[in-house]
Amino acid sequence: MRPSSHSKTSHISSSGALTLAALGVVYGDIGTSPLYTLKTVFLATTGILPTAENIIGAVSVIFWSLMFVVTLKYVTLILRADNKGEGGIMALLALAARAVQDRPILRRNLLLLGTFGACLFYGDSVLTPAISVLSAVEGLSIAQPSFKHWVLPVCMGILIGLFMVQKRGTSTMGHWFGPVMALWFMTLAVIGLWHIIKTPLILHALDPRHAMVFLSERGWGIFVALGAIVLALTGAEALYADMGHFGKRPIRLAWMRFVLPALALNYMGQGALMLHDARTVDNPFYLLFPDFLLIPAVVLATLATVIASQAVITGAYSLTQQAIQLGFIPRLRIIHTSESEKGQIYIPVINWFLLGTVMLVCVGFRESAAMTAAYGIAVTGTMLIASILTYYVVRYAWNFPLWVSLGATMLFIVTDIALVLGCSIKIAEGGWFPILLAVFFLVLMTTWKRGREMLRDAQTRDALPLNDFIQSLEYSTDLVIVPRTAVYLTVNIDQVPQALLHNLKHNLVLHERNIMLNVVIHDEAWIAKSDQIEVERLGQKFWRVTLNFGFMNQPHVTQALQGAAAHGLEIEEFSCSYFLGRDTILPSKHKGAMMGWRQNLFETMSRNAERVTDFYALPYNLVIELGTRVRL
């Protein structure tokens, strides 16, 4: 049967709406890169003079970098590596780790590498709002030099306002993001094309030979040039990270038909302006505009950078949620800001941490040009790790031959290494900041992951086998059987929960129905409701229930338990008592234990983690907590 014209129209309309939305969320970061990229290439610190050959060569390198890294690597290759429709560094890490799960040493190293890549993204989440908004507001000093002293206060005011409204969610503003960014990209294209027509010599930049000559003439200075040019690629990771929200097709359509042409025209327009007047090298973006359009351009650029900042802040929330579900971060309070869109979340701790760090960055660096070294490290480090993980996905998850896997990824890995080296030479000038921030988060994540493993081992070491325990109760005459259902949360389905032992010891009662409940977060993005629950009867009064969630699912326990009815276990929500064990961590000095400071850090993180009751959405008036002391 041929599809009706109505269904075709509906599909086109839906695709168009998603493509427009992708412009607002996915491409805000890379779309605002023209504000600062080309002027950074010709800063005095790079030693690159604004000669005609260098201008054409630099623009050529930027254009072909967009084609190679963004179009070929991300749009063509990495978008294929979806984890049940989800993308991003954590989703890619889950795919790679699952593909090599039969190689424990390799898997452990990949987990460490991928976790560091995720940690670098937090640096990106701090630097993107700072450098983007500051570079936009700096246009005020071009329009009116006397405004220069107001640039930093205005920028900080905008950023404070942006973080203050995060708790309201982005659903009310979200429908404006796409149209504003569409206007932004059209402005980039039109103003760039106008200058290209005036100085068509810049079209020579389309010849890749100019890019090769420009790079070859730099000598060892090639790394300095790459460290500046990489700023044109900031935000490329968002193509992959936001795949779950929009799908591959809208992201690809937006890039190929709209974003790439607009960026190419604008960069060449800036190059054309510099060819016409080399003095415009100080700020070629804003000097593209005639005087009467300069203030409107500053306003539009500021709106675009706020949208770009919003996208990366939301990305930090999503990354944190995934890391929590995968066991790398303690439970944190997560607020869902939309009833209809499950991806709309707000995490207060992350929000205020980002705001405080962004303010420190603005005060410390003061100018967007001073932030570029730090920004480059955060971006290129994440890109390199993504390329390495992609190799293992292609080789072991997709089972391509070695030569195909190397051929598909090695050139990207070599390119990314060159970009990282280009940014690394500026570590002393600010590149240390994202590395320090990433190491801070890496210590937190690895400490939590290792501490939870040790805690689980300690609990397993002291626990009783569940089946033997159930059999022993059949011959007990001292227990009082009480009505209602008791649900015991446990991490080991084969052993008796400590909360159950404490209940028997202190109350000498056994409930009519006892459910050993294990919540498992898998390294898949989504698990359908029909596959979330497993039920097994263990005895006359005992059942084992396993709830399976993907790392993007919301683990709502009471709702998921309603699915037990299909397996012959009726659970009335308000006739249950949920028994939880609350662990008190005791430090240990035995061989194999973590260092003392890490044990103290783990204990502090554990004590301040979000309550299990809140995280699993359990009814407060049905929860009973029983404390246990556990020595690591």
Side-chain angles (χ1 to χ4, degrees), residues 540-606:
Q540 186 177 359
K541 298 180 180 66
F542 290 86
W543 284 262
R544 178 189 289 138
V545 175
T546 301
L547 297 181
N548 300 288
F549 297 102
F551 61 78
M552 291 298 289
N553 287 122
Q554 176 65 24
H556 199 300
V557 167
T558 53
Q559 288 183 2
L561 283 176
Q562 299 308 305
H567 299 268
L569 177 61
E570 292 281 351
I571 300 176
E572 295 183 14
E573 181 176 348
F574 295 102
S575 68
C576 290
S577 296
Y578 294 87
F579 289 85
L580 311 179
R582 189 167 184 84
D583 301 318
T584 299
I585 311 299
L586 301 178
S588 173
K589 295 183 179 180
H590 70 78
K591 185 178 180 181
M594 291 189 295
M595 288 184 288
W597 67 269
R598 292 190 72 192
Q599 292 191 49
N600 293 332
L601 176 60
F602 174 70
E603 193 276 334
T604 302
M605 295 168 71
S606 182

Side-chain angles (χ1 to χ4, degrees), residues 76-91:
T76 303
L77 176 62
I78 293 187
L79 277 183
R80 294 188 60 204
D82 65 295
N83 191 338
K84 294 289 184 71
E86 288 295 324
I89 189 74
M90 292 302 288

